[in-house]
Amino acid sequence: MSATQPVQPVQPSGAQPKVTEREARQVAEAAREQDWRKPSFAKELFLGRFRLDLIHPHPLPADEDVRRGEAFLARLREFCETSIDGARIEREAKIPDETVRGLKELGALGMKIDPKYGGLGLTQVYYNKALALVGSVSPAIGALLSAHQSIGVPQPLKMFGTQEQKDAYLPRCATTAISAFLLTEPDVGSDPARLATTAVPDGDDYVLDGVKLWTTNGVVADLLVVMARVPKSENHRGGITAFVVEADSPGITVEHRNAFMGLRGLENGVTRFHRVRVPAGQRIGAEGAGLKIALTTLNTGRLSLPAMCVGAGKWCLKIAREWSGVREQWGRPVAQHEAVGAKISFIAATTFALEAVVDLASQMADEDRNDIRIEAALAKLYGSEMACLMADELVQIRGGRGFETADSLAARGERAVPAEQMLRDLRINRIFEGSTEIMHLLIAREAVDAHLSVAGDLIDPDKALGDKAKATARAAGFYARWLPKLATGPGQVPGTYRAFHPGGHPDLSTHLRYVERSARKLARSTFYAMSRWQGRMETKQGFLGRIVDIGAELFAMSAACVRAEHLRATGAHGREAYQLADAFCEQSRLRVEELFGRLWSNTDDLDRKVVAGVLSGTYAWLEEGVLDPSGEGPWIADATPGPSTQKNVHRPIR
C-alpha cells in the first residue's frame, strides 16, 4: 500500500442485510422501552431534578430474603474454599467438570429461579453477593454463572416465557442445564439491524441457519437463547425473534472454542446452525420482539457484571493493604509514601462507592418500585471502568511483582498473588454486555428521552410541517415549565440535607448539595447542546460520553452518601463509612469538574480531522520502521450459511 492509498472498507462475508445508519438506529429505537411507568432516580438526575427521596432512606431486603441469602452465601463460601482451585483453572484454561457438577449440586445454577421450579429464589442483592464471592476465587466461574442466569434462558423465560416454557425449562436450568445467549455474529455486534442468522417458518417449525460468535457458555451449554431474523411473509410479521434451542439439536456445530487474554476458563465459542428445526412452541414472545426481550433482560442482568467488579475491588484493597504495610522503601512502608497512599485511598473509596451503587440498584430492582434501566446501565459502565483502574493501580503498587504471574512468584518462594491475572480478567468487562462506547450512547439516549418526546419531531427531517408545528407547541409548554427550575435549587441553600451531617462525622451534606447543583448544570448543558446541534446531536459522541460520565459520577456520589448514612444509622461501621464516602466524593468532584470543562473545551473536532487523515493514508509514513507480526487471513471470518466442515467441540457437562 502506498503512503497515500486510502484504507478500503472491509467487505463483510455471509448474508448480512444491507442497512443504512438511519435504518440501524430505527431498529434500535424500536427495541428500547418507550414508556416510563415508574419513577427513575437517574432519569430525573439527567433532567436536573435531584430526587433524593427515591433512594433515601436506603431500601432494605425482607428478613426472610436475608436469612435465605446468608445461608446460601455460607454454603457457597465453604464450597469456594474447598472445591474451587482458581490457579488450576487459570493454568489449564478450563473449569474442571467436577467443579461444575459441585456447583450444580449446590444449587448455584438456580440462584435466581423461583423455588417452585427447583431454584433458590435469591433476591438480586444476594445473587450479586454470590457472584462477587465466587468471582473473587475464579472470574471464569463468575462469568459462567452470570451468563447462564443473567442473560441465558432463565431470565427471558421468567419475564416473557409462556407457562409451558417455564414448566419445561426452568427446572432443568435450576439444577442441571447450563444455558447460553447467542446474539453476536462475526460481522454483527451492537448493530443488530444487520443480523444474518435466519429463522424461516416451515409448518409448525422454524428452520435456523447462520453463525454466532462469542457464545459465552456455548461450548458446554445444554440450552441456548438464539436471536434470529424471521423473514416477513403471509401470517408472519417477521423481525428479530428469540428462541429457546436445545444445544444438541441436529445441525448445530460448535466449531471453535475461543481463547482470550483473560478469563481463560471461559467456555466461549463459535456456533453454526444449519437447517436446525425449532418448534414454534420454543419461540419466546412474538415474532419481532427479540431485541426488546434482550434489552429488557439486560435491564437487571447488567447488574451481575458490576457485582463481580465489586468483588475485584475488595480483593485489590486487601492485597494493597497487606502488601503496602510490609514492603519498605526508604526506611518506611510504601503505604506511608504519598504517591502510593493516594492509590490505596482511590481503591478503598472507589470500592465503597461501587458497592453502594450495586447494592442500591439491586435492592431497587428487588422492590420493583422504580425503573432502573439507567441505574443498571450506569452501574455496568462505571463498575467496569473503575474496576480496571483499581486493578491497574494494584499492579503499580506491587511493582515488578504485579507484572509477574502467580505461578512464577510461587516458584521462587513468594506469595502467589495473581494481580496481573486480575487486570487481564477485568479488561473484558469494558466490552461485555455493551462496550463502554455503546453504553455511553445507550444511556445518553435514555437521558434525553424527555427532550425527544416533546421536541424530537422538530429535528426529524422526515416529519411533515404539521408534525413540526405540533412539536413546537409541545416543546414551548414543556420548556416554559422546566427551564426556570434549573436556575436555583436546594443545593444552593446552606444546611440542606442536614441529616447527612451528624455530629462527629464528615459533612456529606455538602456533597449532596454539590450533586444537586451539578445535576441542574448537567441538564442545562444538555439542553444547550441540543439547541446548538439539533439533529447532529447524535453524532457528538464525545460530548454525549462526557454527559453520561458526569451522570455516573453523580449517581455514585449519591449512592455512597446514602449507604454511609444507612450504615451509620444501623451502627455498622458508620464512622468509617462516612470517611470513605467523604473521600470518594472529594475524588469524584475533581473528575466531574474536569468532565464539565471538557464538554466545551476538547479536541473532538481536531480528532475527527486526524482520523480522516489516518484512514486516507495521509500518515501511513508514520507506520514505517516496524514489522507486523499478525498472521494471514481476513479481518472478519466467513459466516456464509451452510453445513459445517469443522469438528463439533460441544461438550456438555454431565
Side-chain angles (χ1 to χ4, degrees):
M1 178 183 294
S2 70
T4 58
Q5 184 177 350
V7 177
Q8 296 300 316
V10 176
Q11 296 300 321
S13 55
Q16 280 82 8
K18 304 297 182 183
V19 297
T20 65
E21 180 179 1
R22 182 170 181 79
E23 289 170 336
R25 291 181 184 277
Q26 288 173 339
V27 169
E29 180 65 18
R32 62 175 289 274
E33 292 184 72
Q34 304 293 323
D35 300 322
W36 294 85
R37 300 183 182 89
K38 301 174 183 177
S40 166
F41 173 81
K43 177 176 179 285
E44 294 293 303
L45 196 69
F46 280 107
L47 284 170
R49 299 190 284 248
F50 182 46
R51 291 287 308 279
L52 185 61
D53 60 294
L54 293 177
I55 61 173
H56 173 70
H58 195 292
L60 297 174
D63 291 343
E64 175 57 25
D65 291 335
V66 173
R67 186 200 62 77
R68 186 168 60 247
E70 292 293 340
F72 176 72
L73 285 181
R75 298 195 301 272
L76 180 62
R77 176 178 289 275
E78 181 181 3
F79 181 83
C80 289
E81 292 174 341
T82 60
S83 303
I84 297 179
D85 186 344
R88 177 187 173 187
I89 294 171
E90 173 71 5
R91 188 165 52 250
E92 298 179 358
K94 176 185 175 183
I95 302 172
D97 288 2
E98 61 268 24
T99 300
V100 177
R101 286 193 288 268
L103 289 167
K104 291 181 179 181
E105 293 171 4
L106 193 65
L109 293 188
M111 287 187 282
K112 288 191 67 180
I113 297 176
D114 194 295
K116 68 182 179 183
Y117 298 112
L120 299 180
L122 298 187
T123 62
Q124 186 72 39
V125 169
Y126 277 97
Y127 170 65
N128 285 343
K129 289 181 182 295
L131 289 178
L133 174 61
V134 75
S136 67
V137 182
S138 171
I141 293 180
L144 181 145
L145 295 175
S146 173
H148 164 65
Q149 292 172 88
S150 297
I151 58 175
V153 170
Q155 190 66 16
L157 281 194
K158 175 184 176 181
M159 302 179 73
F160 299 98
T162 64
Q163 190 59 53
E164 291 76 12
Q165 290 171 338
K166 295 175 183 178
D167 292 339
Y169 296 115
L170 291 184
R172 291 173 59 189
C173 290
T175 54
T176 59
I178 297 173
S179 67
F181 175 78
L182 279 61
L183 170 63
T184 305
E185 298 177 359
D187 195 36
V188 177
S190 299
D191 54 345
R194 299 170 54 248
L195 200 75
T197 298
T198 57
V200 179
D202 184 19
D204 293 331
D205 297 338
Y206 291 85
V207 180
L208 272 61
D209 282 279
V211 178
K212 295 294 185 179
L213 176 63
W214 297 323
T215 60
T216 298
N217 288 359
V219 178
V220 297
D222 303 286
L223 293 169
L224 312 173
V225 175
V226 182
M227 296 292 168
R229 182 185 302 279
V230 177
K232 188 175 183 179
S233 62
E234 185 177 357
N235 298 323
H236 290 278
R237 61 175 293 184
I240 297 173
T241 306
F243 299 89
V244 178
V245 182
E246 298 282 353
D248 60 357
S249 299
I252 298 180
T253 305
V254 179
E255 297 187 329
H256 180 69
R257 182 182 187 270
N258 301 319
F260 303 99
M261 67 181 283
L263 292 183
R264 290 179 174 170
L266 197 67
E267 297 291 352
N268 180 293
V270 178
T271 302
R272 179 178 291 269
F273 296 84
H274 177 59
R275 298 177 182 173
V276 179
R277 301 193 74 86
V278 179
Q282 292 174 213
R283 187 189 70 218
I284 307 174
E287 287 184 359
L291 284 185
K292 186 179 289 291
I293 290 172
L295 290 177
T296 305
T297 298
L298 282 172
N299 279 345
T300 54
R302 281 197 176 98
L303 289 173
S304 62
L305 191 151
M308 288 184 280
C309 290
V310 170
K314 289 174 177 286
W315 181 82
C316 288
L317 180 60
K318 177 181 184 295
I319 298 302
R321 173 178 58 83
E322 294 177 349
W323 166 249
S324 300
V326 300
R327 174 71 166 107
E328 289 192 356
Q329 187 77 24
W330 299 322
R332 52 181 173 160
V334 294
Q336 295 180 16
H337 291 283
E338 193 172 86
V340 175
K343 299 179 187 299
I344 297 173
S345 174
F346 166 75
I347 293 173
T350 304
T351 298
F352 176 82
L354 185 52
E355 184 172 38
V357 165
V358 173
D359 277 5
L360 177 62
S362 299
Q363 187 58 46
M364 291 167 73
D366 288 331
E367 290 189 340
D368 199 28
R369 290 189 297 110
N370 296 281
D371 188 322
I372 66 158
R373 73 182 85 163
I374 300 182
E375 287 85 346
L378 287 173
K380 188 276 176 189
L381 168 69
Y382 198 71
S384 60
E385 290 291 323
M386 300 307 275
C388 274
L389 289 176
M390 288 190 286
D392 189 65
E393 293 288 43
L394 176 64
V395 168
Q396 191 71 18
I397 291 171
R398 288 275 290 161
R401 291 173 174 84
F403 192 66
E404 191 173 359
T405 68
D407 281 349
S408 177
L409 288 165
R412 60 182 185 80
E414 292 194 1
R415 185 174 299 185
V417 178
E420 60 83 29
Q421 179 192 337
M422 178 62 74
L423 185 58
R424 288 188 287 103
D425 287 343
L426 285 171
R427 184 60 183 83
I428 186 58
N429 292 338
R430 296 170 61 196
I431 300 171
F432 261 167
E433 297 180 17
S435 68
T436 291
E437 293 73 25
I438 292 299
M439 296 305 296
H440 277 151
L441 298 180
L442 183 152
I443 298 168
R445 171 61 187 86
E446 300 295 354
V448 301
D449 184 58
H451 299 285
L452 294 180
S453 296
V454 299
D457 288 353
L458 286 173
I459 59 177
D460 189 338
D462 293 337
K463 293 297 181 180
L465 289 177
D467 293 327
K468 291 182 181 294
K470 294 178 182 177
T472 299
R474 287 197 305 270
F478 173 80
Y479 290 118
R481 296 187 301 272
W482 178 69
L483 283 172
K485 296 178 181 179
L486 300 182
T488 60
Q492 294 168 289
V493 181
T496 311
Y497 313 121
R498 67 181 63 221
F500 290 82
H501 189 197
H505 292 69
D507 185 1
L508 298 186
S509 67
T510 183
H511 299 308
L512 292 178
R513 289 194 293 273
Y514 176 83
V515 172
E516 196 278 335
R517 295 193 306 271
S518 296
R520 286 185 283 111
K521 182 178 179 180
L522 183 64
R524 292 194 302 268
S525 299
T526 303
F527 173 73
Y528 173 72
M530 292 188 67
S531 303
R532 175 179 176 182
W533 291 315
Q534 298 186 34
R536 294 185 295 125
M537 182 76 164
E538 64 185 18
T539 69
K540 302 296 181 179
Q541 295 180 2
F543 178 90
L544 293 173
R546 295 177 199 110
I547 286 288
V548 169
D549 286 340
I550 293 170
E553 294 284 359
L554 299 181
F555 177 40
M557 291 174 67
S558 304
C561 291
V562 168
R563 180 177 180 82
E565 172 56 19
H566 165 64
L567 293 178
R568 186 202 65 80
T570 57
H573 308 291
R575 185 177 303 277
E576 297 83 2
Y578 256 69
Q579 291 170 349
L580 289 169
D582 184 43
F584 173 78
C585 288
E586 291 289 356
Q587 295 168 10
S588 180
R589 287 170 71 157
L590 294 176
R591 293 190 291 267
V592 169
E593 289 304 307
E594 179 185 359
L595 286 164
F596 268 127
R598 290 174 54 210
L599 285 179
W600 311 111
S601 179
N602 53 63
T603 62
D604 292 351
D605 291 339
L606 181 58
D607 292 342
R608 279 190 288 273
K609 293 178 182 178
V610 172
V611 170
V614 170
L615 294 180
S616 68
T618 300
Y619 310 128
W621 52 269
L622 192 57
E623 302 165 11
E624 296 173 0
V626 298
L627 296 175
D628 183 358
S630 305
E632 299 295 327
W635 288 104
I636 299 172
D638 184 16
T640 303
S644 179
T645 60
Q646 307 294 320
K647 177 184 177 181
N648 191 355
V649 298
H650 181 229
R651 57 172 201 88
I653 300 172
R654 302 293 183 230

